[in-house]
Amino acid sequence: MAEGRAPQWDAAVVGAGAAGLAAAGELARLGRSVVVLDGDGMVRRKPGEVLTPNAVPSLAALGLLDELAIDNQLAMPLLSIQRSWAAETVERDDLLMHPGGRGWSIDRLRFEALLASRAAAAGAVLSKGIRVDGLDGVAGQWRLSVGAAGRVEARFLVDASGRPAVLARRLGARLGRPKRLLAIHAFCRLAEEVSEAAHLSVAAAPDGWWYAVEVPQRSFACGYLFAPSLSSSSASDPRRRLLQACAEAGPFALRIQRVVQQGEICLVDASSSLLDKAAGEGWIAVGDAAASFDPLASQGLANALASGLAGGRAAHRALCGDNSALPAYAAAIRATWQHSHARLVPIYSAVRRWPEGGFWTFMSTHGHIV
């Protein structure tokens, strides 16, 4: 780039998941020129997801509450979370009693398509299938190498690349991932009608835990979370292992069996992680790139939206010359992650179905960043 030439964009967002789209939309609404680069073509693996009441403020800021209420292909009400951590004990958590008072089971692909359309309507430019191959330059004059000898120039970078945090790590941030957790997800459309409202069930298995939930469009999703070092056979035959883990699924047992046998199966990394710094001079990380949460917290998508919005605002303020915006954002990300971890340690430590020296010991020490 010739000296003195202005960059092509105010901000370039790498990754078009929920966090990246929320950040891009917020930057565009604040008057910034922004491009979203997504090497996956905005295709996501997990069709089902839940939004708990802590997502309501972000959804309101994004103007999405009405969409969730009227589009039954997008979302269905999530009424409760039913937890079974000890034999013959079921706790029902009624979401109506939480601040916000509402939750949803959503079609993740449809939800991200809605976020993409809102970001585009605000003025963000979405570029599908554009892989970032290289990065050079300095804050205020970043250069991203893309595609066949292509280049994108931007004053500011937003890393929304998910758990790999590819930009942040190239820029010197270190990723702490203390203990590895894998997830086997299964999803299937069912021939019979499902409920008009959803309930999320989670329960302990001997070496992990499983979940099951109704999903819009007559669909059902379930999954099994485990530490690979304690369950080496799970990755080699995920269908069989998921069926074994959910063998005591009560009223969901038959439905889970059909979904696992007939549906789509994917094995993904579900480890929690935290960057040692979620922002630096001329860049910021949002969503899982900044901090990914143990799925037991049920706040991955809610945090993606909140951090995307907060990251977009912090980036705008930094572009305006506010030197306090990025450190404050990074401190908030770390505090949120640490608070979430502190709430989970007693759960992992107390579950009687996890034998001493096994999963509960492994996960009760989960989260120490060196």
Side-chain angles (χ1 to χ4, degrees):
M1 181 165 50
E3 187 176 352
R5 174 183 164 187
Q8 185 178 4
W9 304 93
D10 288 330
V13 179
V14 177
L21 293 169
E26 189 68 6
L27 279 161
R29 282 186 286 273
L30 291 168
R32 298 295 179 181
S33 62
V34 55
V35 62
V36 181
L37 307 172
D38 187 65
D40 294 329
M42 288 179 281
V43 175
R44 306 292 162 215
R45 293 175 178 168
K46 191 178 176 186
E49 192 89 48
V50 297
L51 282 165
T52 45
N54 60 338
V56 168
S58 297
L59 293 166
L62 289 162
L64 297 180
L65 289 175
D66 288 344
E67 294 278 357
L68 293 173
I70 64 176
D71 186 351
N72 60 13
Q73 301 292 300
L74 169 67
M76 59 194 298
L78 179 69
L79 301 184
S80 70
I81 301 176
Q82 300 173 16
R83 302 179 177 92
S84 179
W85 296 132
E88 301 178 0
T89 300
V90 177
E91 303 171 359
R92 179 186 170 99
D93 189 359
D94 189 341
L95 299 188
L96 184 64
M97 306 304 293
H98 287 248
R102 286 174 284 179
W104 299 266
S105 171
I106 66 165
D107 183 308
R108 179 67 182 259
L109 300 179
R110 198 175 182 94
F111 183 74
E112 289 190 357
L114 178 60
L115 288 173
S117 68
R118 292 298 180 91
V125 174
L126 276 58
S127 297
K128 303 179 184 181
I130 303 297
R131 180 188 173 114
V132 175
D133 298 317
L135 165 67
D136 61 16
V138 295
Q141 292 186 324
W142 297 115
R143 293 182 293 271
L144 295 169
S145 302
V146 297
R151 189 167 71 178
V152 170
E153 301 166 355
R155 295 173 60 197
F156 198 93
L157 299 178
V158 178
D159 186 348
S161 62
R163 282 179 167 85
V166 292
L167 287 186
R169 292 167 68 190
R170 286 183 182 181
L171 291 167
R174 292 187 300 117
L175 184 65
R177 184 174 294 164
K179 302 293 184 185
R180 196 167 179 224
L181 192 66
L182 294 182
I184 304 168
H185 298 300
F187 169 82
C188 188
R189 286 188 166 83
L190 301 174
E192 75 271 16
E193 290 287 345
V194 296
S195 318
E196 293 185 359
H199 298 272
L200 171 64
S201 290
V202 296
D207 57 357
W209 61 274
W210 60 263
Y211 75 88
V213 64
E214 296 94 346
V215 183
Q217 303 182 59
R218 300 169 74 173
S219 301
F220 194 79
C222 61
Y224 169 57
L225 289 293
F226 63 97
S229 60
L230 301 177
S231 187
S232 59
S233 64
S234 297
S236 60
D237 191 351
R239 284 187 194 272
R240 182 178 62 83
R241 192 63 192 91
L242 182 52
L243 281 174
Q244 290 175 346
C246 302
E248 302 174 26
F252 280 151
L254 289 177
R255 198 179 295 176
I256 286 175
Q257 187 175 22
R258 289 200 302 275
V259 168
V260 175
Q261 290 174 343
Q262 302 171 19
E264 302 173 23
I265 297 280
C266 62
L267 178 69
V268 299
D269 184 0
S271 311
S272 63
S273 61
L274 179 67
L275 285 178
D276 65 342
K277 56 179 181 178
E281 188 177 1
W283 66 271
I284 200 166
V286 298
D288 283 351
S292 60
F293 294 80
D294 189 306
L296 193 58
S298 296
Q299 69 178 61
L301 184 52
N303 180 73
L305 298 175
S307 69
L309 288 169
R313 294 165 189 157
H316 170 71
R317 288 169 53 199
L319 285 165
C320 290
D322 183 349
N323 293 327
S324 67
L326 300 182
Y329 169 83
I333 290 292
R334 175 169 286 271
T336 299
W337 191 92
Q338 291 174 335
H339 175 72
S340 174
H341 167 65
R343 291 175 57 230
L344 291 178
V345 169
I347 296 175
Y348 277 121
S349 299
V351 177
R352 280 179 277 171
R353 294 197 58 193
W354 293 328
E356 186 172 355
F359 189 70
W360 81 267
T361 300
F362 180 88
M363 296 306 295
S364 66
T365 58
H366 182 202
H368 296 294
I369 300 293
V370 177

